[in-house]
Amino acid sequence: MSSWIAQHFLNSALFWPAVTLLSAPIIIHLINRLRFRRVRFAAMEFLLASEQRNRRRILLEHLLLLLARVAIVALIGLLVARFVADPRQLSLFQGAKAHHVVLLDDSGSMRDRLGERMVFDAAREVVSKLAAEGAQRPDTQVLTLLRMSRPEETVGSVSERSIDDALVAELTTRLEDLDCTYGTVDVAGALDAVRLRLADDASSVRHLHVVSDFRKGDWYDNKSAAAAIRAIAELDTTINLVRTAPAANANLGVVGLIGDVSAAAAGVPVTMTAAVRNFGDREAENVRLAVQVNGRPLPANLLFERIPAGEEIRESFEVVFETSGSHRVSVTLETDALEADNVRRLAVEVPEDNPVLIIDGSPGADQGRYIADALAADKSITGYATTVATADYLRRHPLDVFQAIYLVNLPELPEDTVDSLEKYVFAGGGLAWFLGDVVRPSFYNDRLYREGAGLFPTRLANAPAVLPRLEDATTPDIVAGDNALFRVLSGADNPFIDEVFVNVFYPVDEEAFAKDTSRPDGVSVLARLRNRAPLMVQHRFGAGRIITSLTAAGPALTPEGRAWTNWANGPGAPSFAVMQLELAKSIARRGRNAPERQVGEPIVLTLDRTQQRETVEIVGPDDEVAQLTATEGTPAEGASEEVVPLRAEYAQTQQPGYYTVTTFSQSQQPQQQVLAYNVPVEESALGIAEDAEIRRGIGEGVEVTIQPAGSFEWIRSESPGRELRMALLGALAAFLMLEQLMSYRLSYHGTGDSSVVRGRRGAGPRRAA
C-alpha cells in the first residue's frame, strides 16, 4: 500500500492526514442531527403527516449534501497531496522513487563544435543538471551512467547510486575527466546492454535518458536500435531522447591517404594521393591541404578549387624519402567544425632498395637479363636491386627478403622448391611467371596448376602456338585491358606497345580457363592477343598476387629460328621497361604502409621466441610509454606444437596519431615499427536524424519523448498530472457550488414575520406555541 501511495502522490506524507479529514463532514453531520429540540404545538398531526410524505426525499438531500462535503474534503486532499494517476507521468525527480539510466553518446561525431565548445560538453552539462535536480530530493532517486562506447561498464562507480550532494560533487569531477572517443559506437548494442540491465531492475519507476547528437548514420533506419528501444519500452520504462546538437554543421574531412609505396626506396619519388570529401550541403571552394613528412611541411600545399556537396575529390603529390626506415606522412585541412577528421596519417616503411629475385631457366639466363635491365638499369631512379640466379638458389637462400620473385622459362622445379614458393606467396610475396621454349606443360599442369589450387593460374595446352602474321592487320598484337599494369601504355600518346609483335605463345585449355575465371581467387585477363587468346593473366594465392605471361620475356627462338617476341629488344622496348616496373609494383609484397587502422583497433603482435624477447615497448601519440610482456600464444596453422609463438596485445589505441612499436631481438637489438591510426570516416557525416524519422523508425505504440538541444525545461518541468489537477480543481468548484445550493435549500430562512418560522425539515410554516 505504501508503495502505491509513493507512486501516485508527490506529497505522499499528506495522504493519511487527508484520509483522516474525510471523517470531519460525517462527524459534523451527526452532531447537527443532535441539535434538534422537540417542541409540541398545535396542528402537530399535519406536520407529522407532511414529514412522512417527504421523509425519503429529505433523507436523500441530506445524504447528497454529506457526500458533497466529503467529496470537497477528498478533492482538497488530492490537490494538496498532488495526486498523479499514472506513475509514469512523474516528472523525473518528482514523486515516486525512480531509477535514472543515462546512456551517453561518446562517438567521434560528438566532437563537433557547438560555439566555443564541443557537443560532448553539452552532453556532460545535461548529465550534471540531471544529477543536480535529483539531489534536491535526496534518497528518492538513483542514477546509473553508461557510455555507448562501453555500455557494459558504468562510468566510475555510478551504478544505481543514490543521488545526493556527494554524488553530484563526485560526478562533476568524473565528467571533467571523461573524454569523448574518436571512434564509432554500436547504438543497437548499447541499447541492448541497457535492456539487459533494466530487465533485472526492481525499481518501481525507470527512466532511460539517451543523450546523443542523433546523427543519421547511427539513427536513421537503424532497425536493430529501434527493436532495442521497443524492447526497453516493454519493460515499463520511459524513454527520453535528449538532443545535444541543434543542427548539422558543414564539414570537410580527409577520408583517404594512400601511397604507391610498394616500390618505395630511399631517394625514389613516391606518388601519394589524398582524398577530401564534402559532407555538407554546399559547395566548398579553394580548399587547401597541407602536407607534412616526418613533421616537416612540404613547400607547396594541395589546392582543391571546388568540392561539390556530397562529393569526394582526390589530388596526388610526390614525396621523396631521403633515407630508409620508418617515415610519417600526414595531410591536414584548415580548421572547421569537426577538427578530428581534418588530419589523415600514413606510416611508410622505406628500404634502401627493393630486392627482386629472377630465376631463369634459359641457357645463360638471357631472358632474365632483359627483366633485370628493365628493373634496375639505374637503381637510384627505380629503387630495385635484382638478383639473377638458377633454380638452385631457391633451395639455398631464404625467400622472404625479396619483394617479388620472377620465374622465367623454367622447365620444372624441385618439389621442396615449390613448397617454399607456395609459403612465400601465401604469406604475401609476389610472383611473376614468364614462359619460353624450355617449359614442360605437363609439369606446370600437374604440379603447379593442381586443378586451380596451385601457383599457376590455369591449364596449358600441350605445345606452344604461333600467332599468324597478317599483312593487312590493323590491330596490334597486344590488346591491353584497362588495368594498372597497362594504363600508362594505353592511348595514342604511348604508341610503343603497337610496335610489339608476339609470334609464339602458350594457349590455355579453354574449358579449364572458363572455370578458372570464376574461381574465388579471381583469375582475370590483363592483356590479350589480337586473336583474343589470353596473353597476361593475374590471380591471387593466399595474401600474394601472381601475374603470368604466356609468352617469353626475351627474344627466345623456336627450332625454326622464329623469335617468340620482340618486346624486350625491338622498337617497342620502352614499353617493356614500363610494363616491368608496373608489374613489379603490382606484385610487390604488401605491408610497406601498414594497413589503415582506426582508433580503438588493438595492436596485436606475434613474436618468434627463438629470435625475439618477450619485452615490447609502445609509445603513443601523447608520448606515453607502455611496457608489455608477451605471453605464450597459439601455434600457427601447420606449425609444430613445440614452436609456440609469443603474443602481445595493446588495446589503448583510442587516440589518433602514430604508435611506435619496439620489439627486441635476443641480443637486445631494437626493431621498430610505426603504425598510423586515423578516425573512422563514418563519424564525419554530421547530418542529424529528424524527430519524425526517429519516431517512424521506432514504430507506433511506443511512447518516446524527444527533447530539443539546449533546452533544460524538461528537467525542471511542471509537475506531472497538471491536466488532472485542473480537472480536480474544476470538480472542486462544482462540488462547492453544489454544497452551497444544497445547504441553502436545507437551511432555515426567515419570512419577515418573526412569528412565522419555516421548518428545518420542510414541514411547512408553523407558529410558535
Side-chain angles (χ1 to χ4, degrees), residues 359 390-396 399 405 407 410 412-424 443 447-448 455:
I359 302 298
T390 63
D392 288 340
Y393 187 95
L394 299 173
R395 284 178 162 177
R396 293 181 281 111
L399 304 182
I405 297 177
L407 301 178
L410 293 172
E412 58 184 28
L413 288 168
E415 185 67 25
D416 57 345
T417 299
V418 175
D419 292 338
S420 299
L421 286 170
E422 287 182 345
K423 292 178 181 178
Y424 166 78
F443 175 79
R447 182 62 185 91
L448 298 178
L455 293 174

PDB file of all heavy atoms in Angstrom, residues 359 390-396 399 405 407 410 412-424 443 447-448 455:
ATOM      1  N   ILE A 359      64.672 -15.940 -61.303  1.00  0.00           N
ATOM      2  CA  ILE A 359      65.136 -17.310 -61.527  1.00  0.00           C
ATOM      3  C   ILE A 359      64.907 -17.630 -63.002  1.00  0.00           C
ATOM      4  O   ILE A 359      63.769 -17.661 -63.479  1.00  0.00           O
ATOM      5  CB  ILE A 359      64.381 -18.303 -60.626  1.00  0.00           C
ATOM      6  CG1 ILE A 359      64.552 -17.918 -59.150  1.00  0.00           C
ATOM      7  CG2 ILE A 359      64.861 -19.723 -60.886  1.00  0.00           C
ATOM      8  CD1 ILE A 359      65.979 -17.955 -58.665  1.00  0.00           C
ATOM      9  N   THR A 390      69.807 -19.308 -60.873  1.00  0.00           N
ATOM     10  CA  THR A 390      69.135 -20.524 -61.334  1.00  0.00           C
ATOM     11  C   THR A 390      68.219 -21.050 -60.241  1.00  0.00           C
ATOM     12  O   THR A 390      68.175 -20.518 -59.123  1.00  0.00           O
ATOM     13  CB  THR A 390      70.175 -21.592 -61.701  1.00  0.00           C
ATOM     14  OG1 THR A 390      70.918 -21.928 -60.523  1.00  0.00           O
ATOM     15  CG2 THR A 390      71.126 -21.079 -62.782  1.00  0.00           C
ATOM     16  N   ALA A 391      67.503 -22.133 -60.542  1.00  0.00           N
ATOM     17  CA  ALA A 391      66.518 -22.677 -59.601  1.00  0.00           C
ATOM     18  C   ALA A 391      67.155 -23.160 -58.308  1.00  0.00           C
ATOM     19  O   ALA A 391      66.490 -23.210 -57.259  1.00  0.00           O
ATOM     20  CB  ALA A 391      65.744 -23.807 -60.272  1.00  0.00           C
ATOM     21  N   ASP A 392      68.429 -23.535 -58.325  1.00  0.00           N
ATOM     22  CA  ASP A 392      69.084 -23.993 -57.089  1.00  0.00           C
ATOM     23  C   ASP A 392      69.109 -22.916 -56.015  1.00  0.00           C
ATOM     24  O   ASP A 392      69.185 -23.219 -54.822  1.00  0.00           O
ATOM     25  CB  ASP A 392      70.514 -24.453 -57.393  1.00  0.00           C
ATOM     26  CG  ASP A 392      70.541 -25.769 -58.144  1.00  0.00           C
ATOM     27  OD1 ASP A 392      69.519 -26.495 -58.081  1.00  0.00           O
ATOM     28  OD2 ASP A 392      71.571 -26.066 -58.795  1.00  0.00           O
ATOM     29  N   TYR A 393      69.082 -21.667 -56.442  1.00  0.00           N
ATOM     30  CA  TYR A 393      69.109 -20.561 -55.471  1.00  0.00           C
ATOM     31  C   TYR A 393      67.914 -20.649 -54.520  1.00  0.00           C
ATOM     32  O   TYR A 393      68.019 -20.277 -53.343  1.00  0.00           O
ATOM     33  CB  TYR A 393      69.097 -19.234 -56.239  1.00  0.00           C
ATOM     34  CG  TYR A 393      69.285 -18.003 -55.369  1.00  0.00           C
ATOM     35  CD1 TYR A 393      70.547 -17.441 -55.205  1.00  0.00           C
ATOM     36  CD2 TYR A 393      68.205 -17.406 -54.711  1.00  0.00           C
ATOM     37  CE1 TYR A 393      70.717 -16.307 -54.414  1.00  0.00           C
ATOM     38  CE2 TYR A 393      68.367 -16.290 -53.927  1.00  0.00           C
ATOM     39  CZ  TYR A 393      69.630 -15.743 -53.773  1.00  0.00           C
ATOM     40  OH  TYR A 393      69.803 -14.619 -52.996  1.00  0.00           O
ATOM     41  N   LEU A 394      66.785 -21.117 -55.017  1.00  0.00           N
ATOM     42  CA  LEU A 394      65.571 -21.197 -54.199  1.00  0.00           C
ATOM     43  C   LEU A 394      65.754 -22.149 -53.030  1.00  0.00           C
ATOM     44  O   LEU A 394      65.083 -22.005 -51.998  1.00  0.00           O
ATOM     45  CB  LEU A 394      64.381 -21.634 -55.049  1.00  0.00           C
ATOM     46  CG  LEU A 394      64.012 -20.710 -56.218  1.00  0.00           C
ATOM     47  CD1 LEU A 394      62.927 -21.346 -57.075  1.00  0.00           C
ATOM     48  CD2 LEU A 394      63.550 -19.356 -55.695  1.00  0.00           C
ATOM     49  N   ARG A 395      66.614 -23.125 -53.170  1.00  0.00           N
ATOM     50  CA  ARG A 395      66.845 -24.083 -52.093  1.00  0.00           C
ATOM     51  C   ARG A 395      67.802 -23.549 -51.041  1.00  0.00           C
ATOM     52  O   ARG A 395      67.704 -23.876 -49.870  1.00  0.00           O
ATOM     53  CB  ARG A 395      67.440 -25.369 -52.671  1.00  0.00           C
ATOM     54  CG  ARG A 395      66.444 -26.257 -53.391  1.00  0.00           C
ATOM     55  CD  ARG A 395      67.153 -27.464 -53.953  1.00  0.00           C
ATOM     56  NE  ARG A 395      66.239 -28.544 -54.281  1.00  0.00           N
ATOM     57  CZ  ARG A 395      66.620 -29.686 -54.837  1.00  0.00           C
ATOM     58  NH1 ARG A 395      67.911 -29.882 -55.115  1.00  0.00           N
ATOM     59  NH2 ARG A 395      65.743 -30.622 -55.114  1.00  0.00           N
ATOM     60  N   ARG A 396      68.733 -22.723 -51.466  1.00  0.00           N
ATOM     61  CA  ARG A 396      69.850 -22.347 -50.595  1.00  0.00           C
ATOM     62  C   ARG A 396      69.689 -21.016 -49.883  1.00  0.00           C
ATOM     63  O   ARG A 396      70.492 -20.673 -49.036  1.00  0.00           O
ATOM     64  CB  ARG A 396      71.140 -22.317 -51.429  1.00  0.00           C
ATOM     65  CG  ARG A 396      71.563 -23.680 -51.922  1.00  0.00           C
ATOM     66  CD  ARG A 396      72.845 -23.663 -52.729  1.00  0.00           C
ATOM     67  NE  ARG A 396      72.619 -23.211 -54.108  1.00  0.00           N
ATOM     68  CZ  ARG A 396      73.052 -22.072 -54.601  1.00  0.00           C
ATOM     69  NH1 ARG A 396      73.725 -21.246 -53.837  1.00  0.00           N
ATOM     70  NH2 ARG A 396      72.828 -21.743 -55.856  1.00  0.00           N
ATOM     71  N   LEU A 399      63.579 -16.763 -48.918  1.00  0.00           N
ATOM     72  CA  LEU A 399      62.872 -16.003 -49.939  1.00  0.00           C
ATOM     73  C   LEU A 399      62.188 -14.749 -49.395  1.00  0.00           C
ATOM     74  O   LEU A 399      61.841 -13.839 -50.146  1.00  0.00           O
ATOM     75  CB  LEU A 399      61.808 -16.896 -50.609  1.00  0.00           C
ATOM     76  CG  LEU A 399      62.322 -18.199 -51.228  1.00  0.00           C
ATOM     77  CD1 LEU A 399      61.177 -18.950 -51.887  1.00  0.00           C
ATOM     78  CD2 LEU A 399      63.445 -17.926 -52.214  1.00  0.00           C
ATOM     79  N   ILE A 405      59.418 -12.253 -56.853  1.00  0.00           N
ATOM     80  CA  ILE A 405      60.220 -13.296 -57.484  1.00  0.00           C
ATOM     81  C   ILE A 405      59.686 -13.520 -58.902  1.00  0.00           C
ATOM     82  O   ILE A 405      58.477 -13.682 -59.097  1.00  0.00           O
ATOM     83  CB  ILE A 405      60.173 -14.603 -56.677  1.00  0.00           C
ATOM     84  CG1 ILE A 405      60.777 -14.389 -55.282  1.00  0.00           C
ATOM     85  CG2 ILE A 405      60.915 -15.719 -57.405  1.00  0.00           C
ATOM     86  CD1 ILE A 405      60.697 -15.615 -54.387  1.00  0.00           C
ATOM     87  N   LEU A 407      59.915 -16.043 -62.181  1.00  0.00           N
ATOM     88  CA  LEU A 407      60.266 -17.379 -62.636  1.00  0.00           C
ATOM     89  C   LEU A 407      60.163 -17.372 -64.157  1.00  0.00           C
ATOM     90  O   LEU A 407      59.062 -17.275 -64.722  1.00  0.00           O
ATOM     91  CB  LEU A 407      59.346 -18.421 -62.016  1.00  0.00           C
ATOM     92  CG  LEU A 407      59.345 -18.458 -60.473  1.00  0.00           C
ATOM     93  CD1 LEU A 407      58.364 -19.499 -59.965  1.00  0.00           C
ATOM     94  CD2 LEU A 407      60.746 -18.740 -59.935  1.00  0.00           C
ATOM     95  N   LEU A 410      61.254 -21.706 -67.016  1.00  0.00           N
ATOM     96  CA  LEU A 410      61.705 -22.849 -66.225  1.00  0.00           C
ATOM     97  C   LEU A 410      61.028 -24.114 -66.717  1.00  0.00           C
ATOM     98  O   LEU A 410      59.803 -24.182 -66.826  1.00  0.00           O
ATOM     99  CB  LEU A 410      61.380 -22.632 -64.749  1.00  0.00           C
ATOM    100  CG  LEU A 410      62.133 -21.503 -64.036  1.00  0.00           C
ATOM    101  CD1 LEU A 410      61.569 -21.300 -62.648  1.00  0.00           C
ATOM    102  CD2 LEU A 410      63.621 -21.818 -63.976  1.00  0.00           C
ATOM    103  N   GLU A 412      60.947 -27.075 -65.103  1.00  0.00           N
ATOM    104  CA  GLU A 412      60.284 -27.630 -63.928  1.00  0.00           C
ATOM    105  C   GLU A 412      61.021 -27.158 -62.686  1.00  0.00           C
ATOM    106  O   GLU A 412      62.076 -26.511 -62.770  1.00  0.00           O
ATOM    107  CB  GLU A 412      60.253 -29.154 -63.977  1.00  0.00           C
ATOM    108  CG  GLU A 412      61.606 -29.795 -64.087  1.00  0.00           C
ATOM    109  CD  GLU A 412      61.517 -31.299 -64.240  1.00  0.00           C
ATOM    110  OE1 GLU A 412      60.509 -31.806 -64.778  1.00  0.00           O
ATOM    111  OE2 GLU A 412      62.469 -31.971 -63.795  1.00  0.00           O
ATOM    112  N   LEU A 413      60.461 -27.485 -61.496  1.00  0.00           N
ATOM    113  CA  LEU A 413      61.044 -27.073 -60.221  1.00  0.00           C
ATOM    114  C   LEU A 413      61.060 -28.262 -59.272  1.00  0.00           C
ATOM    115  O   LEU A 413      60.140 -29.102 -59.297  1.00  0.00           O
ATOM    116  CB  LEU A 413      60.228 -25.935 -59.587  1.00  0.00           C
ATOM    117  CG  LEU A 413      60.326 -24.563 -60.241  1.00  0.00           C
ATOM    118  CD1 LEU A 413      59.267 -23.650 -59.684  1.00  0.00           C
ATOM    119  CD2 LEU A 413      61.708 -23.966 -60.022  1.00  0.00           C
ATOM    120  N   PRO A 414      62.097 -28.367 -58.409  1.00  0.00           N
ATOM    121  CA  PRO A 414      62.095 -29.420 -57.393  1.00  0.00           C
ATOM    122  C   PRO A 414      60.896 -29.284 -56.466  1.00  0.00           C
ATOM    123  O   PRO A 414      60.384 -28.179 -56.226  1.00  0.00           O
ATOM    124  CB  PRO A 414      63.419 -29.199 -56.648  1.00  0.00           C
ATOM    125  CG  PRO A 414      64.265 -28.422 -57.601  1.00  0.00           C
ATOM    126  CD  PRO A 414      63.328 -27.574 -58.391  1.00  0.00           C
ATOM    127  N   GLU A 415      60.479 -30.401 -55.890  1.00  0.00           N
ATOM    128  CA  GLU A 415      59.287 -30.415 -55.054  1.00  0.00           C
ATOM    129  C   GLU A 415      59.426 -29.495 -53.851  1.00  0.00           C
ATOM    130  O   GLU A 415      58.506 -28.751 -53.516  1.00  0.00           O
ATOM    131  CB  GLU A 415      59.006 -31.852 -54.591  1.00  0.00           C
ATOM    132  CG  GLU A 415      57.703 -32.015 -53.811  1.00  0.00           C
ATOM    133  CD  GLU A 415      56.485 -31.772 -54.676  1.00  0.00           C
ATOM    134  OE1 GLU A 415      56.579 -31.940 -55.911  1.00  0.00           O
ATOM    135  OE2 GLU A 415      55.428 -31.403 -54.114  1.00  0.00           O
ATOM    136  N   ASP A 416      60.572 -29.546 -53.167  1.00  0.00           N
ATOM    137  CA  ASP A 416      60.741 -28.696 -51.992  1.00  0.00           C
ATOM    138  C   ASP A 416      60.763 -27.222 -52.372  1.00  0.00           C
ATOM    139  O   ASP A 416      60.346 -26.360 -51.601  1.00  0.00           O
ATOM    140  CB  ASP A 416      62.014 -29.081 -51.228  1.00  0.00           C
ATOM    141  CG  ASP A 416      63.257 -29.003 -52.114  1.00  0.00           C
ATOM    142  OD1 ASP A 416      63.100 -28.930 -53.354  1.00  0.00           O
ATOM    143  OD2 ASP A 416      64.364 -28.999 -51.561  1.00  0.00           O
ATOM    144  N   THR A 417      61.215 -26.905 -53.571  1.00  0.00           N
ATOM    145  CA  THR A 417      61.220 -25.520 -54.028  1.00  0.00           C
ATOM    146  C   THR A 417      59.798 -25.016 -54.245  1.00  0.00           C
ATOM    147  O   THR A 417      59.472 -23.869 -53.911  1.00  0.00           O
ATOM    148  CB  THR A 417      62.026 -25.402 -55.330  1.00  0.00           C
ATOM    149  OG1 THR A 417      63.372 -25.816 -55.080  1.00  0.00           O
ATOM    150  CG2 THR A 417      62.032 -23.982 -55.824  1.00  0.00           C
ATOM    151  N   VAL A 418      58.955 -25.865 -54.788  1.00  0.00           N
ATOM    152  CA  VAL A 418      57.548 -25.485 -54.978  1.00  0.00           C
ATOM    153  C   VAL A 418      56.895 -25.193 -53.629  1.00  0.00           C
ATOM    154  O   VAL A 418      56.151 -24.205 -53.471  1.00  0.00           O
ATOM    155  CB  VAL A 418      56.784 -26.597 -55.728  1.00  0.00           C
ATOM    156  CG1 VAL A 418      55.297 -26.248 -55.820  1.00  0.00           C
ATOM    157  CG2 VAL A 418      57.367 -26.791 -57.123  1.00  0.00           C
ATOM    158  N   ASP A 419      57.181 -26.023 -52.643  1.00  0.00           N
ATOM    159  CA  ASP A 419      56.619 -25.786 -51.302  1.00  0.00           C
ATOM    160  C   ASP A 419      57.077 -24.443 -50.746  1.00  0.00           C
ATOM    161  O   ASP A 419      56.281 -23.698 -50.161  1.00  0.00           O
ATOM    162  CB  ASP A 419      57.029 -26.912 -50.359  1.00  0.00           C
ATOM    163  CG  ASP A 419      56.379 -28.239 -50.722  1.00  0.00           C
ATOM    164  OD1 ASP A 419      55.335 -28.210 -51.403  1.00  0.00           O
ATOM    165  OD2 ASP A 419      56.927 -29.289 -50.325  1.00  0.00           O
ATOM    166  N   SER A 420      58.362 -24.128 -50.911  1.00  0.00           N
ATOM    167  CA  SER A 420      58.880 -22.847 -50.410  1.00  0.00           C
ATOM    168  C   SER A 420      58.212 -21.669 -51.113  1.00  0.00           C
ATOM    169  O   SER A 420      57.872 -20.659 -50.484  1.00  0.00           O
ATOM    170  CB  SER A 420      60.395 -22.788 -50.595  1.00  0.00           C
ATOM    171  OG  SER A 420      61.041 -23.812 -49.871  1.00  0.00           O
ATOM    172  N   LEU A 421      58.024 -21.786 -52.415  1.00  0.00           N
ATOM    173  CA  LEU A 421      57.377 -20.706 -53.162  1.00  0.00           C
ATOM    174  C   LEU A 421      55.924 -20.529 -52.738  1.00  0.00           C
ATOM    175  O   LEU A 421      55.425 -19.402 -52.626  1.00  0.00           O
ATOM    176  CB  LEU A 421      57.457 -21.000 -54.660  1.00  0.00           C
ATOM    177  CG  LEU A 421      58.825 -20.816 -55.314  1.00  0.00           C
ATOM    178  CD1 LEU A 421      58.824 -21.365 -56.730  1.00  0.00           C
ATOM    179  CD2 LEU A 421      59.217 -19.325 -55.327  1.00  0.00           C
ATOM    180  N   GLU A 422      55.238 -21.627 -52.492  1.00  0.00           N
ATOM    181  CA  GLU A 422      53.838 -21.528 -52.060  1.00  0.00           C
ATOM    182  C   GLU A 422      53.733 -20.813 -50.711  1.00  0.00           C
ATOM    183  O   GLU A 422      52.858 -19.967 -50.505  1.00  0.00           O
ATOM    184  CB  GLU A 422      53.221 -22.918 -51.987  1.00  0.00           C
ATOM    185  CG  GLU A 422      52.938 -23.528 -53.359  1.00  0.00           C
ATOM    186  CD  GLU A 422      52.280 -24.895 -53.255  1.00  0.00           C
ATOM    187  OE1 GLU A 422      52.304 -25.475 -52.141  1.00  0.00           O
ATOM    188  OE2 GLU A 422      51.755 -25.381 -54.270  1.00  0.00           O
ATOM    189  N   LYS A 423      54.616 -21.133 -49.791  1.00  0.00           N
ATOM    190  CA  LYS A 423      54.599 -20.455 -48.496  1.00  0.00           C
ATOM    191  C   LYS A 423      54.921 -18.972 -48.647  1.00  0.00           C
ATOM    192  O   LYS A 423      54.322 -18.118 -47.997  1.00  0.00           O
ATOM    193  CB  LYS A 423      55.602 -21.123 -47.549  1.00  0.00           C
ATOM    194  CG  LYS A 423      55.200 -22.534 -47.135  1.00  0.00           C
ATOM    195  CD  LYS A 423      56.253 -23.165 -46.235  1.00  0.00           C
ATOM    196  CE  LYS A 423      55.863 -24.582 -45.850  1.00  0.00           C
ATOM    197  NZ  LYS A 423      56.906 -25.227 -45.000  1.00  0.00           N
ATOM    198  N   TYR A 424      55.875 -18.678 -49.516  1.00  0.00           N
ATOM    199  CA  TYR A 424      56.274 -17.287 -49.734  1.00  0.00           C
ATOM    200  C   TYR A 424      55.113 -16.463 -50.289  1.00  0.00           C
ATOM    201  O   TYR A 424      54.801 -15.377 -49.788  1.00  0.00           O
ATOM    202  CB  TYR A 424      57.459 -17.257 -50.697  1.00  0.00           C
ATOM    203  CG  TYR A 424      57.768 -15.893 -51.277  1.00  0.00           C
ATOM    204  CD1 TYR A 424      58.435 -14.930 -50.539  1.00  0.00           C
ATOM    205  CD2 TYR A 424      57.386 -15.575 -52.581  1.00  0.00           C
ATOM    206  CE1 TYR A 424      58.723 -13.679 -51.077  1.00  0.00           C
ATOM    207  CE2 TYR A 424      57.663 -14.329 -53.123  1.00  0.00           C
ATOM    208  CZ  TYR A 424      58.324 -13.388 -52.368  1.00  0.00           C
ATOM    209  OH  TYR A 424      58.593 -12.155 -52.902  1.00  0.00           O
ATOM    210  N   PHE A 443      54.404 -30.621 -66.446  1.00  0.00           N
ATOM    211  CA  PHE A 443      54.772 -30.291 -65.069  1.00  0.00           C
ATOM    212  C   PHE A 443      53.952 -29.106 -64.560  1.00  0.00           C
ATOM    213  O   PHE A 443      53.483 -29.106 -63.416  1.00  0.00           O
ATOM    214  CB  PHE A 443      56.266 -29.974 -64.985  1.00  0.00           C
ATOM    215  CG  PHE A 443      56.702 -29.503 -63.622  1.00  0.00           C
ATOM    216  CD1 PHE A 443      56.908 -30.409 -62.607  1.00  0.00           C
ATOM    217  CD2 PHE A 443      56.878 -28.140 -63.353  1.00  0.00           C
ATOM    218  CE1 PHE A 443      57.295 -29.983 -61.338  1.00  0.00           C
ATOM    219  CE2 PHE A 443      57.256 -27.710 -62.093  1.00  0.00           C
ATOM    220  CZ  PHE A 443      57.465 -28.641 -61.085  1.00  0.00           C
ATOM    221  N   ARG A 447      51.750 -30.185 -61.399  1.00  0.00           N
ATOM    222  CA  ARG A 447      52.287 -29.782 -60.097  1.00  0.00           C
ATOM    223  C   ARG A 447      52.017 -28.322 -59.766  1.00  0.00           C
ATOM    224  O   ARG A 447      51.785 -27.994 -58.602  1.00  0.00           O
ATOM    225  CB  ARG A 447      53.807 -30.035 -60.065  1.00  0.00           C
ATOM    226  CG  ARG A 447      54.440 -29.687 -58.721  1.00  0.00           C
ATOM    227  CD  ARG A 447      53.859 -30.549 -57.629  1.00  0.00           C
ATOM    228  NE  ARG A 447      54.340 -30.184 -56.314  1.00  0.00           N
ATOM    229  CZ  ARG A 447      53.729 -29.299 -55.498  1.00  0.00           C
ATOM    230  NH1 ARG A 447      52.606 -28.699 -55.875  1.00  0.00           N
ATOM    231  NH2 ARG A 447      54.229 -29.040 -54.315  1.00  0.00           N
ATOM    232  N   LEU A 448      52.041 -27.456 -60.737  1.00  0.00           N
ATOM    233  CA  LEU A 448      51.887 -26.028 -60.453  1.00  0.00           C
ATOM    234  C   LEU A 448      50.438 -25.561 -60.539  1.00  0.00           C
ATOM    235  O   LEU A 448      50.002 -24.719 -59.760  1.00  0.00           O
ATOM    236  CB  LEU A 448      52.765 -25.209 -61.408  1.00  0.00           C
ATOM    237  CG  LEU A 448      54.264 -25.470 -61.310  1.00  0.00           C
ATOM    238  CD1 LEU A 448      55.017 -24.633 -62.335  1.00  0.00           C
ATOM    239  CD2 LEU A 448      54.775 -25.163 -59.899  1.00  0.00           C
ATOM    240  N   LEU A 455      50.150 -22.616 -57.808  1.00  0.00           N
ATOM    241  CA  LEU A 455      50.724 -21.309 -58.105  1.00  0.00           C
ATOM    242  C   LEU A 455      50.464 -20.852 -59.538  1.00  0.00           C
ATOM    243  O   LEU A 455      50.578 -19.662 -59.826  1.00  0.00           O
ATOM    244  CB  LEU A 455      52.241 -21.340 -57.857  1.00  0.00           C
ATOM    245  CG  LEU A 455      52.702 -21.507 -56.414  1.00  0.00           C
ATOM    246  CD1 LEU A 455      54.230 -21.654 -56.368  1.00  0.00           C
ATOM    247  CD2 LEU A 455      52.272 -20.307 -55.581  1.00  0.00           C
TER     248      LEU A 455
END
